[in-house]
Amino acid sequence: MRWLFGNDWNWIAAGAVSAALLLGLSFLTHFPFLVSLVIAALVFAGLVFVLAPRQLFEGLDLGSIGGGQVAFARELLAQAQPAADKLAAAASSIADKDMKAKVKNLSDIAADVISRVEAKPASAPSVRRFLTYYVPQAAEVAEGYATLAKRRAPSQVRLSKVGAVITKLQDAFVHYADSLADSELGTLDVDLRLIQESLKEDIGR
């Protein structure tokens, strides 16, 4: 059942809380042991469910989406999410305000693209390179900058070089985010033209 209700951590946390509750009810409030056991079991089951991490594509009607599309998107997101998490962590560890803002912007864009691909798995091919190359590389560069900056006597030349790469990555991230938005617009231009033609035909405008 663990594959359905998350990883081991939610089970461990639920077990610890339930055990503490069982001991508290039994020995501190003097509840009957059987009643305490039932309450603890119910709390355990509830916590396992509540603490379970959200699953990919949760809420989507996967039956209406091609299995190949979902599998491909799942594979890309499985590669990108750990790197996106590292990118967010690196942003929080950088002291320089300007560089911190730039790395956070990269992190925000990565999170946005990931959430949009999860919501629409068919869009995954348009950002494949972004998810499998740029996000992991950006995470490595950001972590490298954070490590360099924490040295007692950091090399300003190296910091400048790494910072320049982070600045250039902004353009790549924005490019892929915008290309994903363009793909989501789909036939908007065609739809607008058809609406305008219909309006002219129906009401002369």
Side-chain angles (χ1 to χ4, degrees):
M1 289 178 65
R2 288 182 183 179
W3 66 271
L4 183 61
F5 292 117
N7 53 35
D8 287 337
W9 289 109
N10 60 320
W11 290 77
I12 293 171
V17 171
S18 300
L21 179 62
L22 177 61
L23 292 174
L25 290 175
S26 298
F27 297 105
L28 298 180
T29 62
H30 304 294
F31 264 53
F33 180 77
L34 185 58
V35 174
S36 300
L37 185 62
V38 171
I39 294 174
L42 291 174
V43 170
F44 174 79
L47 286 176
V48 166
F49 180 78
V50 170
L51 297 177
R54 194 179 65 82
Q55 301 297 310
L56 278 177
F57 312 115
E58 191 173 288
L60 286 184
D61 180 11
L62 298 182
S64 64
I65 306 173
Q69 290 181 343
V70 173
F72 181 68
R74 187 186 302 277
E75 180 182 349
L76 293 187
L77 295 182
Q79 295 180 54
Q81 188 60 64
D85 292 340
K86 289 182 180 180
L87 193 56
S92 65
S93 68
I94 294 174
D96 182 85
K97 290 184 178 180
D98 180 59
M99 194 54 59
K100 185 186 196 74
K102 289 180 179 179
V103 175
K104 186 179 185 307
N105 183 50
L106 295 179
S107 173
D108 290 344
I109 293 174
D112 179 57
V113 170
I114 287 172
S115 66
R116 284 155 69 181
V117 170
E118 183 180 354
K120 189 177 180 182
S123 65
S126 66
V127 287
R128 176 179 183 177
R129 183 165 174 78
F130 174 78
L131 294 174
T132 60
Y133 178 75
Y134 280 106
V135 175
Q137 289 299 312
E140 292 292 331
V141 172
E143 287 182 330
Y145 183 93
T147 300
L148 281 172
K150 288 178 181 177
R151 289 185 174 181
R152 291 183 180 275
S155 168
Q156 295 303 315
V157 173
R158 294 186 70 186
L159 280 177
S160 179
K161 287 182 179 179
V162 177
V165 172
I166 290 174
T167 299
K168 290 181 180 178
L169 281 170
Q170 308 286 317
D171 295 334
F173 272 53
V174 170
H175 166 75
Y176 277 100
D178 286 347
S179 68
L180 182 59
D182 289 341
S183 70
E184 290 175 346
L185 289 174
T187 60
L188 176 62
D189 292 335
V190 175
D191 292 339
L192 289 175
R193 188 176 70 252
L194 291 175
I195 291 172
Q196 288 173 341
E197 291 175 355
S198 296
L199 288 171
K200 284 183 179 180
E201 182 178 335
D202 294 338
I203 62 176
R205 294 183 181 179

